[in-house]
């Protein structure tokens, strides 16, 4: 990566109607930010005091670089704040969760009281399987209410959940189950995607071979006739819950007790198990739901992510429920049965806050505005984006067609590791398409060179966070060394791994990753993970993978493959390799192109220079190639 580089910045500015700012929970951004800067500790203490603690903390934080503890010795339970707190209030019969299946008539609604009951039963069911505080439970489920129930049930009893997105294949699931040492896997027989069944239970069956930690598999059966449960390990979800008692007090959790592990792709073949803890994560997701999303009593919040990603953890489940909102989830895909489905759902349920990804917005742009124009989207008041840069064209379209030139757009920059939003343009502030915005109150961010010196406006550099925050990850599971790297690359800052640039007003534009991670349709994919999946095929001697710009997905996976002796390039082999990656890691990592090549550009020490491949591919200057092998 170059030290720093010039970036041409031009942008128009959208100024939302002043009523947005006046009515917002946060008020004026500059005032709120200065208020935070004056006394950062008081800011976070005030936030935490909006929630219920069984025992208050002794000290706000202990920071011994790079390790942090927040709300030291404070005791709470996140589900107490997401459920009991509301059940003990006027929100008792408020709708907590609305689920919409793929078909028109499939709809389920849970009030806070009902969700509370369901979670307690599931929590007792897990206990009956011998799950105790500190044990790990893997959840591999479709987007149905029981997925959320299972997460909250784990948190209720202090079990650590590790959710694996239902689109991952058996080998990716196996790696994650083994690394997390999961005792139980909760799954369903199938998920539905575009009218087709995804055989989740079969994939789990393959994934647990070689995963000795797994004692039981709980299967929620949705299809008729019921899928038979064969092995002794398999238990029916409904039966298990029926036999469980209905009251389960929330376990008293220390603020620093782990809440979950969530895997994210790394630059090595091994994914990183990001560990989040109870108190800080709870405060961070609550704060950002209430003050960034501006959640109010009557909001219906729809985040289109899957709970298998951090976006789902933080902004489907923990944040919105802690804030007492009504949350919508759906098992639908954006274009099935047609690209009007999401807009009909917004109209039908009166969604007020809508949070999605640039890749979806670009897909909708492509199919045309006649689809959203068929529905009444007037209930929307705030729309958001996450996962990759929201390019100015997509911003303009989203603002005009979905936001009716009114709704503020929250382009939120954050990561699995940060747990909550870090940078965005707060509701009511002037918005600049292409720029995520400024750090939110509570967060200090900057763009710096490799030595940590701030770079001037319009000069690109590395995005860093300068101070610890409550919902920061605490470690990388089984790899604390990797955790330390985040804070020790440009000490004392946290290095996000993203390239960025700031303009004269302090607005930050995120340009993309500085490392070997590709973001495809908003999903992080490690080039190394795809390469090792390719090399595990008998025909492949060596492989290199790069991200290639793609109008819809942002980036697409392109692979270069050297075949073993005795194998010839062919269309059939190409398809076989694509299928091999699909089955191993999942459809999101599938290469869209594979080139068979005789050699790969390498450094003299033998490292593949993906940068050179990428430059060749795009017809641009590869930069410094002095280390390239002759
Ligand atoms: O490169 C940034 C990109 O997504 C990365 C984090 O990915 P993940 O941990 O999977 O979390 C995604 C959801 C929070 C970041 O390092 N990214 C995320 N949001 C944005 C973004 N890039 C530009 N603009 C964003 N709003």
């Amino acid at each position: 990566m170059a030290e720093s580089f010039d970036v041409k910045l031009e942008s128009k500015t959208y100024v939302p109607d002043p009523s947005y700012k006046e009515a917002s929970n946060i008020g004026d951004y500059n005032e709120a930010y200065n208020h935070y800067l004056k006394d950062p500790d008081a800011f976070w203490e005030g936030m935490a005091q909006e929630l219920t603690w069984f025992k208050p903390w002794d000290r706000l934080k202990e920071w011994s670089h790079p390790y942090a503890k927040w709300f030291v010795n404070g005791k709470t339970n996140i589900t107490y704040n997401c459920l009991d707190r509301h059940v003990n209030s006027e929100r008792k019969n408020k709708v907590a969760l609305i689920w919409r299946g793929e078909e028109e008539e499939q709809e389920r609604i849970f009030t806070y009281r009902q969700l509370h009951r369901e979670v307690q039963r599931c929590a007792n069911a897990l206990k009956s399987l011998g799950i105790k505080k500190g044990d790990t439970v893997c959840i591999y489920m479709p987007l149905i209410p029981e997925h959320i129930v299972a997460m909250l049930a784990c948190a209720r009893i202090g079990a650590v959940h590790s959710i694996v997105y239902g689109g991952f294949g058996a080998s990716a699931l196996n790696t994650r189950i083994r690394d997390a040492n999961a005792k139980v896997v909760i799954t369903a027989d199938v998920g539905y995607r575009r009218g087709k069944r995804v055989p989740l239970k079969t994939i789990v069956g393959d994934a647990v071979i070689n995963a000795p930690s797994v004692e039981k598999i709980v299967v929620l059966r949705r299809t008729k006739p019921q899928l038979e449960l064969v092995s002794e390990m398999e238990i029916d979800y409904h039966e298990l819950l029926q036999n469980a008692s209905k009251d389960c007090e929330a376990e008293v959790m220390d603020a620093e007790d782990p809440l979950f592990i969530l895997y994210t792709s790394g630059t090595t073949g091994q994914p990183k198990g990001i560990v989040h803890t109870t108190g800080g994560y709870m405060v961070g997701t609550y704060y950002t739901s209430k003050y960034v999303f501006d959640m109010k009593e009557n909001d219906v919040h729809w985040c289109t992510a899957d709970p298998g990603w951090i976006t789902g953890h933080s902004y489907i489940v923990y944040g919105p429920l802690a804030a007492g909102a009504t949350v919508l989830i759906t098992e639908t895909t954006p274009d099935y049965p047609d690209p009007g489905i999401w807009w009909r759902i917004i109209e039908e349920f009166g969604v007020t806050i809508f949070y999605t990804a640039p890749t979806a917005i670009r897909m909708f742009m492509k199919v045309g505005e006649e689809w959203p124009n068929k529905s009444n989207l007037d209930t929307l008041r705030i729309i958001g984006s996450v996962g990759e840069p929201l390019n100015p064209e997509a911003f303009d379209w989203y603002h005009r067609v979905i936001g009716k030139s009114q709704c503020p757009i929250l382009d939120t920059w954050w990561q699995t590791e940060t747990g909550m939003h870090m940078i965005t343009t707060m509701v009511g502030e002037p918005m600049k398409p292409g720029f995520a915005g400024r750090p939110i109150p509570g967060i200090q961010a900057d763009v710096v060179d490799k030595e940590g010196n701030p770079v001037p406006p319009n000069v690109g550099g590395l995005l860093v966070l300068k101070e610890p925050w409550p919902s920061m990850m605490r470690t990388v599971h089984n790899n604390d060394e990797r955790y330390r790297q985040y804070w020790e690359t440009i000490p004392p800052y946290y290095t996000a791994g993203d390239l960025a640039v700031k303009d004269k007003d302090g607005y930050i534009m995120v340009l993309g990753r500085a490392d070997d991670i590709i973001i495809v349709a908003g999903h992080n994919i490690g080039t190394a993970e795809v390469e090792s999946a390719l090399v595990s095929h008998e025909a492949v001697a060596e492989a290199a993978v790069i991200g290639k710009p793609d109008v819809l997905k942002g980036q697409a996976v392109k692979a270069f493959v050297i075949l073993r002796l005795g194998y010839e390039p062919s269309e059939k082999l190409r398809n076989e390799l694509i299928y091999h990656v699909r089955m191993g890691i999942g459809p999101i990592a599938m290469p869209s192109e594979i080139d068979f090549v005789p050699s790969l550009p390498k450094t003299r020490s033998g490292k593949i220079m993906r940068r050179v491949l990428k430059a060749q591919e795009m017809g641009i200057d590869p930069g410094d190639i002095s280390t390239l092998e002759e």
Side-chain angles (χ1 to χ4, degrees):
M1 213 268 313
E3 182 92 341
S4 53
F5 47 94
D6 291 329
V7 183
K8 250 206 181 140
L9 293 181
E10 46 183 75
S11 75
K12 54 183 167 195
T13 303
Y14 288 97
V15 184
D17 190 88
S19 59
Y20 271 102
K21 191 190 281 198
E22 282 157 21
S24 74
N25 289 337
I26 192 80
D28 179 73
Y29 167 82
N30 288 317
E31 263 175 43
Y33 199 85
N34 289 333
H35 171 75
Y36 149 71
L37 274 186
K38 240 188 240 152
D39 192 344
D41 287 4
F43 172 87
W44 284 118
E45 298 208 273
M47 211 47 74
Q49 274 153 0
E50 293 189 16
L51 293 162
T52 305
W53 295 76
F54 302 147
K55 174 186 169 294
W57 52 95
D58 297 335
R59 280 175 312 276
L60 174 72
K61 71 171 186 283
E62 261 173 39
W63 174 233
S64 161
H65 185 275
Y67 298 107
K69 285 186 180 162
W70 284 85
F71 308 106
V72 182
N73 296 329
K75 309 283 177 205
T76 186
N77 184 298
I78 196 165
T79 72
Y80 190 91
N81 280 290
C82 290
L83 300 169
D84 306 57
R85 203 163 66 88
H86 310 309
V87 170
N88 298 335
S89 80
E90 281 173 10
R91 290 199 185 116
K92 170 173 20 193
N93 290 316
K94 175 174 176 173
V95 172
L97 190 65
I98 304 171
W99 173 81
R100 162 70 150 77
E102 276 206 330
E103 307 302 329
E104 225 33 81
E105 66 278 10
Q106 292 177 319
E107 199 178 293
R108 293 167 68 194
I109 291 179
F110 294 75
T111 63
Y112 270 99
R113 199 159 168 273
Q114 289 168 321
L115 187 61
H116 185 232
R117 287 166 64 101
E118 198 68 16
V119 167
Q120 292 184 82
R121 221 181 251 290
C122 185
N124 281 326
L126 288 173
K127 278 189 183 170
S128 74
L129 296 179
I131 294 296
K132 303 178 304 297
K133 179 174 176 180
D135 288 340
T136 306
V137 173
C138 172
I139 301 175
Y140 182 71
M141 290 185 102
L143 219 185
I144 51 177
E146 286 78 5
H147 190 319
I148 316 282
V149 168
M151 287 169 82
L152 293 166
C154 289
R156 187 88 180 163
I157 62 173
V160 177
H161 58 67
S162 166
I163 302 178
V164 179
Y165 169 57
F168 274 117
S171 112
L173 178 58
N174 172 268
T175 312
R176 287 158 177 77
I177 289 175
R178 287 183 20 187
D179 188 75
N181 220 20
K183 268 188 154 176
V184 166
V185 181
I186 308 178
T187 189
D189 50 359
V190 298
Y192 290 95
R193 201 171 164 78
R194 297 197 173 87
K196 293 210 180 86
R197 292 175 177 183
V198 183
L200 298 176
K201 203 308 239 135
T202 313
I203 297 172
V204 172
D206 291 343
V208 296
I209 301 172
N210 245 338
S213 62
V214 178
E215 293 167 10
K216 296 283 176 212
I217 302 169
V218 181
V219 186
L220 180 107
R221 289 185 286 180
R222 313 172 74 190
T223 54
K224 297 265 162 17
Q226 277 194 336
L227 184 91
E228 239 182 274
L229 300 181
V230 277
S231 87
E232 279 186 359
M233 285 165 86
E234 297 171 358
I235 307 166
D236 179 75
Y237 178 95
H238 291 299
E239 242 169 67
L240 187 69
L241 260 74
Q242 256 160 31
N243 297 330
S245 61
K246 66 182 201 329
D247 298 311
C248 178
E249 288 272 304
E251 184 79 33
V252 175
M253 302 292 285
D254 187 85
E256 282 301 320
D257 279 334
L259 176 64
F260 64 83
I261 304 174
L262 180 58
Y263 287 87
T264 180
S265 295
T267 48
T268 65
Q270 181 71 13
K272 298 172 287 194
I274 304 300
V275 177
H276 281 287
T277 55
T278 303
Y281 178 81
M282 173 177 86
V283 173
T285 53
Y286 165 79
Y287 157 52
T288 43
S289 296
K290 180 158 172 198
Y291 294 95
V292 176
F293 278 126
D294 196 40
M295 279 179 204
K296 309 250 172 62
E297 206 50 57
N298 292 326
D299 276 313
V300 177
H301 175 74
W302 182 17
C303 162
T304 67
D306 186 275
W309 308 112
I310 191 69
T311 307
H313 281 59
S314 299
Y315 300 114
I316 292 176
V317 186
Y318 292 113
L321 294 180
T326 295
V327 172
L328 175 83
I329 54 173
T330 103
E331 206 176 356
T332 54
T333 21
D335 56 356
Y336 178 87
D338 61 58
I341 176 71
W342 279 13
W343 317 120
R344 293 196 292 277
I345 289 179
I346 289 179
E347 176 172 347
E348 185 181 346
F349 295 99
V351 172
T352 59
I353 305 175
F354 178 65
Y355 193 35
T356 194
T359 188
I361 299 168
R362 290 191 295 259
M363 188 278 282
F364 288 125
M365 271 174 85
K366 195 179 120 206
V367 297
E369 53 194 85
E370 60 270 26
W371 289 103
N373 287 347
K374 285 183 200 175
S375 295
N376 180 340
L377 306 181
D378 286 352
T379 52
L380 287 177
R381 63 179 198 94
I382 290 168
I383 55 182
S385 167
V386 60
E388 58 182 308
L390 180 62
N391 49 304
E393 301 72 32
F395 184 106
D396 290 344
W397 187 91
Y398 196 30
H399 186 250
R400 180 176 58 80
V401 180
I402 307 305
K404 306 297 172 203
S405 305
Q406 298 268 325
C407 298
I409 293 184
L410 300 169
D411 177 356
T412 56
W413 177 87
W414 57 296
Q415 305 178 300
T416 307
E417 294 88 332
T418 70
M420 68 172 203
H421 301 147
M422 297 278 110
I423 298 173
T424 192
T425 298
M426 305 286 280
V427 168
E429 295 300 318
M431 300 175 285
K432 300 187 188 191
F435 290 81
R438 290 171 290 181
I440 65 171
I443 295 305
Q444 298 181 39
D446 209 346
V447 182
V448 301
D449 64 20
K450 276 183 177 162
E451 276 70 53
N453 309 306
V455 294
N458 300 2
V459 175
L462 292 156
L463 182 55
V464 295
L465 300 166
K466 296 164 78 171
E467 290 289 333
W469 62 99
S471 69
M472 58 188 262
M473 70 164 155
R474 297 301 194 265
T475 186
V476 174
H477 189 60
N478 289 335
N479 194 353
D480 194 57
E481 163 86 37
R482 180 65 192 89
Y483 167 76
R484 287 198 303 273
Q485 276 174 25
Y486 285 89
W487 289 94
E488 288 169 358
T489 305
I490 308 178
Y493 302 151
Y494 169 92
T495 311
D498 279 354
L499 300 172
V501 58
K502 227 160 82 163
D503 75 358
K504 59 179 191 344
D505 301 322
Y507 278 59
I508 294 173
M509 174 185 279
V510 179
L511 302 167
R513 297 291 309 173
D515 55 18
D516 289 325
I517 290 176
I518 316 176
I519 303 197
V520 180
H523 303 314
N524 276 12
I525 296 177
T527 49
E529 207 177 353
V530 183
E531 286 161 6
S532 68
L534 283 166
V535 174
S536 73
H537 188 281
E538 56 183 10
V540 178
E542 234 181 321
V545 164
I546 61 164
K548 192 177 166 177
D550 180 282
V551 265
L552 283 186
K553 296 190 274 187
Q555 286 191 295
V557 175
K558 164 136 198 192
F560 298 84
V561 164
I562 303 180
L563 291 178
R564 280 179 194 281
L565 275 178
Y567 289 90
E568 289 297 321
S570 70
E571 207 44 43
K572 183 165 166 277
L573 182 55
R574 185 174 277 125
N575 291 335
E576 203 178 302
L577 293 179
I578 293 174
Y579 184 72
H580 187 71
V581 175
R582 184 193 170 104
M583 294 316 284
I585 314 181
I588 54 170
M590 253 164 44
S592 54
E593 277 179 54
I594 296 185
D595 279 4
F596 294 108
V597 293
S599 64
L600 290 167
K602 288 190 185 156
T603 61
R604 285 186 211 112
S605 59
K607 269 193 175 164
I608 296 172
M609 293 184 82
R610 298 186 188 84
R611 176 163 62 80
V612 173
L613 285 170
K614 191 160 176 166
Q616 267 170 12
E617 191 63 31
M618 296 171 64
I620 56 171
D621 177 12
D624 178 15
I625 48 166
S626 55
T627 56
L628 190 68
E629 198 183 35
E630 283 305 311

